[in-house]
């Protein structure tokens, strides 16, 4: 891979901004599109190129990363008249890091292949902390050769980078990740509530349980935020609900019953209805308020 390929980046949000910054700091020319230009001001002041549409960005970029909101947004960015594929050229690589539908990842792959563009679905896990530290877990689906070609870029923003298989396999793996997190967050909240009721110091409790059999990324990184009353989003509740819905749709298609995930989705939807959709997933503790 040439060091000076221009990298396009769409989605400068809680995670995307840090990811784009790592790529920029690694010396790659960076083109940016995001709905709110102000979010990209620091990247632009450091030399990034602003693009008015995804199509304009596509024309200027060799490899394009997207990490945006909903599957409908992904469709608009990739398939719209001012989107990436309508303005692409053979040889480009597009990498969707949005947590989205496996079927959409396959559609992007097929439509890209028809016009000589290569595609990888590569959703991530690790939240704002992983994005800032460049330690994200990355789950990739698509052609293995394309995966190896972009691996040097993935290594700039992540550490645990695993090729999972054909197009859509990255998204299916992310669903496994979200399913595991969903009920884990319930357990974490109930554990902290129990500690408080028992008259224990929750911070001291964490010292004992975080490194034992109960240990998890969420317990180590989000439980301390709960204790401090910090509900700022490392990952939005509204986005987590979207992910759980996708996972449940896929499970239904596979005739698989997931009662734990269903319960978690219902709990988070109740919180969202109370105005917590912009909070971080650790705000689940408010369900018991």
């Amino acid at each position: 891979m040439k060091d000076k390929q221009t990298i396009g980046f769409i989605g400068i949000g809680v995670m995307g901004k840090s990811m784009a910054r790592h790529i920029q700091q690694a010396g790659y020319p960076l083109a940016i599109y995001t709905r709110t230009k102000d979010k990209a001001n620091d990247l632009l002041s450091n030399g990034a190129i602003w693009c008015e549409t995804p199509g304009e960005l596509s024309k200027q970029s060799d490899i394009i990363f997207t990490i945006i909101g909903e599957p409908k947004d992904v469709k608009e960015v990739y398939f719209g008249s001012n989107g990436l594929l309508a303005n692409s050229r053979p040889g480009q690589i597009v990498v969707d890091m949005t947590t989205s539908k496996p079927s959409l990842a396959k559609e992007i792959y097929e439509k890209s292949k028809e016009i000589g563009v290569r595609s990888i679905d590569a959703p991530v896990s690790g939240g704002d902390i992983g994005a800032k530290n460049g330690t994200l877990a990355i789950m990739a689906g698509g052609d293995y050769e394309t995966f190896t070609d972009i691996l040097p870029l993935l290594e700039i923003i992540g550490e645990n980078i695993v090729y999972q298989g054909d197009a859509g396999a990255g998204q299916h793996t992310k669903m496994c990740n979200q399913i595991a997190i969903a009920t884990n967050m319930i357990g974490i909240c109930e554990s902290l509530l129990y500690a408080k009721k028992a008259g224990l110091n929750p911070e001291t409790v964490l010292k004992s349980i975080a490194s034992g059999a109960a240990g998890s990324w969420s317990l180590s990184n989000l439980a301390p935020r709960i204790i401090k009353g910090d509900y700022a989003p490392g990952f939005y509740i509204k986005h987590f609900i979207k992910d759980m819905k996708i996972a449940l749709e896929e499970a239904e298609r596979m005739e698989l019953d997931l009662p734990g995930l269903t319960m978690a989705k219902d709990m988070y939807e109740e919180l969202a209805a109370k105005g917590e959709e912009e909070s971080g997933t650790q705000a689940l503790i408010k369900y018991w308020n």
Side-chain angles (χ1 to χ4, degrees), residues 35 66-80 96-105 107-108 171 175 238-247 249-250:
R35 286 177 176 174
T66 56
I67 181 164
I68 40 189
E70 305 275 343
K72 63 180 177 62
D73 302 315
V74 175
K75 286 184 178 181
E76 181 182 348
V77 164
Y78 276 86
F79 303 143
D96 187 27
M97 310 192 91
T98 312
T99 299
S100 185
K101 295 182 177 182
S103 58
L104 180 54
E107 185 179 359
I108 291 171
Q171 296 294 355
M175 291 301 105
K238 64 181 180 181
H239 290 158
F240 195 31
I241 291 171
K242 175 262 296 182
D243 296 352
M244 289 187 283
K245 286 180 177 178
I246 293 172
E249 287 173 6
E250 291 295 325

Side-chain angles (χ1 to χ4, degrees), residues 25-261:
Q25 290 175 343
Y28 288 89
L30 187 67
I32 292 174
Y33 169 78
T34 193
R35 286 177 176 174
T36 307
K37 186 177 180 179
D38 289 347
K39 290 182 179 180
N41 281 343
D42 55 342
L43 297 169
L44 296 172
S45 66
N46 285 323
I49 303 163
W50 173 253
C51 300
E52 293 291 340
T53 65
E56 182 183 331
L57 179 141
S58 185
K59 292 175 182 178
Q60 300 193 43
S61 305
D62 300 304
I63 299 172
I64 301 166
F65 289 90
T66 56
I67 181 164
I68 40 189
E70 305 275 343
K72 63 180 177 62
D73 302 315
V74 175
K75 286 184 178 181
E76 181 182 348
V77 164
Y78 276 86
F79 303 143
S81 59
N82 286 318
L84 297 178
L85 297 187
N87 295 278
S88 65
R89 62 183 181 278
Q92 280 180 309
I93 300 175
V94 293
V95 185
D96 187 27
M97 310 192 91
T98 312
T99 299
S100 185
K101 295 182 177 182
S103 58
L104 180 54
K106 293 177 182 178
E107 185 179 359
I108 291 171
Y109 173 85
E110 293 296 340
K111 291 188 176 181
S112 297
K113 188 174 183 179
E114 289 173 3
I115 57 175
V117 174
R118 294 187 285 165
S119 168
I120 291 286
D121 52 290
V124 299
S125 181
D128 58 335
I129 296 170
K132 288 175 183 175
N133 294 336
T135 57
L136 292 168
I138 303 175
M139 313 151 213
D143 293 337
Y144 184 72
E145 182 181 353
T146 305
F147 168 74
T148 58
D149 283 346
I150 65 166
L151 186 58
L153 281 166
L154 298 180
E155 288 173 338
I156 293 170
I157 57 180
E159 283 187 344
N160 182 20
I161 305 164
V162 181
Y163 175 74
Q164 296 292 341
D166 294 339
Q171 296 294 355
H172 275 304
T173 304
K174 183 60 185 288
M175 291 301 105
C176 296
N177 184 83
Q178 302 306 72
I179 292 166
I181 288 173
T183 47
N184 185 34
M185 281 303 302
I186 296 172
I188 288 168
C189 291
E190 291 184 342
S191 176
L192 293 176
L193 289 164
Y194 182 96
K196 186 176 179 180
K197 280 288 187 180
L200 302 173
N201 181 332
E203 292 181 349
T204 305
V205 170
L206 280 183
K207 289 180 181 179
S208 289
I209 70 174
S211 60
S216 69
W217 186 96
S218 295
L219 188 66
S220 296
N221 291 281
L222 297 183
R225 295 190 187 187
I226 292 173
I227 293 170
K228 294 175 183 176
D230 175 7
Y231 305 116
F235 186 59
Y236 290 105
I237 282 177
K238 64 181 180 181
H239 290 158
F240 195 31
I241 291 171
K242 175 262 296 182
D243 296 352
M244 289 187 283
K245 286 180 177 178
I246 293 172
L248 285 168
E249 287 173 6
E250 291 295 325
E252 183 178 2
R253 184 181 60 80
M254 294 184 286
E255 300 182 347
L256 177 64
D257 184 30
L258 300 176
L261 181 62

